[in-house]
Amino acid sequence: MRAAYAELESLIQGLANYRLHATQSAQMFDLAMKAYEQSFSCREEFCTAALKAVEDICKVMPPYAPLVNSINRFCLLLEGKEEAIRPVCEAWSREDTAERMRSIACRLIAGRKNVCTFTFSQTVSSCLSRCKALGLDFSVIVTESGPNKDGLDTVRLLSKQGIPCRATLDADMRKAADEADIALFGCEAVLPNGSVIGKVGQSTMAYWCHRRSVPVYIYAGCEKLLPGPLQCVSNLIREVSIPAGSISACYFDVTPARYISGVITENGIISPEASSHFTSKRVSGYLLSCISR
């Protein structure tokens, strides 16, 4: 039993220390629970233990929509309600999803001179690299984003692809917005009311872009959309200790829907306010109670 639970412990530890990417954590959860299930001979015992594991995860879980959606599907499966939980977008394969989103972003960026992005997002960086490969000519402005200066990773990655890219201080977001023609940000979750959870400071960057009439697009995909009852996922934003010093801060913040021009998904660009209509409406009561607490 201990060996089977080890994968869950690894997931919980990774979440507690913010070492896991949102999509990666969802994949880890699916694999861990399949391994965990095989160690039980009694279905009822597994269900009880699995729900306890979900509660343990929720105690340390960052506001990652892919993980929340995976846990929701799993809890509904245990409750015998899985037939009604598939989002519209799940008919597409992961590769189809990525290519459809990249094509949409390329059309938005075409003809733009300066693209502004925030900190580091693997999916956004891959999208911009694809746009360059398709012959689009643009430069990128990115915030350096303390305390880990993740934005510098964006500069290094995009520069290798031949994309002119420079970092600016987080404190200089206003100037970055002045120079931008379009903003493309990643996110952790799109909340049902259309607001977006992203890396801390992203809301400020979106505010300055909005003030400068620079369109702000969130590169999300349907896995980042949350159904109506899960507005409470914003409760998962909590203060943590910053490893580099004796200070506490939040790693995430919430960007209001009014600053966002559209959310890019594999189904097209949707308005923030309409996002909850593109995902499952059924939510596990057990998961909801765990997150609410």
Side-chain angles (χ1 to χ4, degrees):
M1 176 70 69
R2 189 67 181 176
Y5 193 70
E7 292 187 50
L8 273 172
E9 288 183 317
S10 176
L11 171 63
I12 291 170
Q13 191 63 37
L15 292 170
N17 295 323
Y18 293 86
R19 290 200 306 263
L20 297 177
H21 181 270
T23 304
Q24 177 192 21
S25 64
Q27 294 168 345
M28 282 185 64
F29 174 79
D30 290 339
L31 293 173
M33 295 313 296
K34 287 175 184 176
Y36 194 35
E37 183 178 17
Q38 292 173 2
S39 65
F40 288 85
S41 57
C42 174
R43 174 73 175 176
E44 184 176 345
E45 288 181 359
F46 167 67
C47 290
T48 300
L51 291 175
K52 176 60 169 63
V54 167
E55 184 175 351
D56 291 341
I57 290 170
C58 288
K59 290 176 182 177
V60 298
M61 182 167 59
Y64 291 163
L67 179 56
V68 172
N69 282 325
S70 288
I71 294 176
N72 185 51
R73 285 193 289 269
F74 175 74
C75 289
L76 288 173
L77 180 65
L78 295 184
E79 297 166 8
K81 302 172 183 175
E82 73 279 8
E83 70 282 356
I85 65 172
R86 294 296 177 184
V88 175
C89 63
E90 286 197 354
W92 305 103
S93 72
R94 184 169 296 276
E95 186 55 37
D96 287 339
T97 294
E99 187 55 40
R100 289 165 70 87
M101 289 177 61
R102 286 193 291 260
S103 295
I104 293 168
C106 285
R107 291 197 296 271
L108 289 172
I109 292 173
R112 312 273 189 173
K113 183 179 179 182
N114 293 315
V115 179
C116 173
T117 191
F118 184 78
T119 189
F120 177 78
S121 164
Q122 181 65 55
T123 52
V124 171
S125 295
S126 296
C127 169
L128 293 173
S129 296
R130 177 61 174 164
C131 291
K132 176 65 176 180
L134 290 174
L136 298 187
D137 185 21
F138 60 91
S139 61
V140 172
I141 307 167
V142 59
T143 56
E144 53 130 27
S145 306
N148 299 323
K149 303 189 186 305
D150 294 333
L152 300 183
D153 291 334
T154 302
V155 172
R156 284 188 284 267
L157 181 61
L158 297 184
S159 295
K160 289 180 180 178
Q161 307 303 318
I163 301 173
C165 188
R166 66 179 179 83
T168 185
L169 295 175
D170 287 4
D172 210 11
M173 291 181 186
R174 182 174 177 176
K175 182 180 179 182
D178 285 341
E179 298 178 15
D181 300 310
I182 188 173
L184 186 65
F185 300 153
C187 76
E188 312 303 334
V190 180
L191 296 172
N193 66 359
S195 57
V196 170
I197 297 177
K199 300 291 176 59
V200 66
Q202 185 164 292
S203 62
T204 304
M205 189 72 247
Y207 164 80
W208 283 115
C209 288
H210 178 72
R211 285 284 302 271
R212 297 295 184 268
S213 298
V214 175
V216 175
Y217 289 94
I218 303 298
Y219 197 78
C222 288
E223 67 177 359
K224 298 286 183 74
L225 310 182
L226 291 170
L230 285 173
Q231 183 69 32
C232 61
V233 164
S234 58
N235 294 345
L236 299 177
I237 299 176
R238 54 178 74 92
E239 277 200 354
V240 296
S241 296
I242 301 296
S246 56
I247 59 173
S248 294
C250 293
Y251 277 111
F252 309 101
D253 66 17
V254 179
T255 301
R258 65 182 180 275
Y259 298 158
I260 299 167
S261 305
V263 179
I264 298 173
T265 76
E266 55 271 40
N267 289 335
I269 300 173
I270 61 178
S271 70
E273 296 81 2
S275 61
S276 64
H277 298 295
F278 288 81
T279 189
S280 164
K281 296 296 188 298
R282 192 184 291 271
V283 173
S284 163
Y286 185 81
L287 174 62
L288 192 59
S289 67
C290 288
I291 294 177
S292 297
R293 290 197 301 268

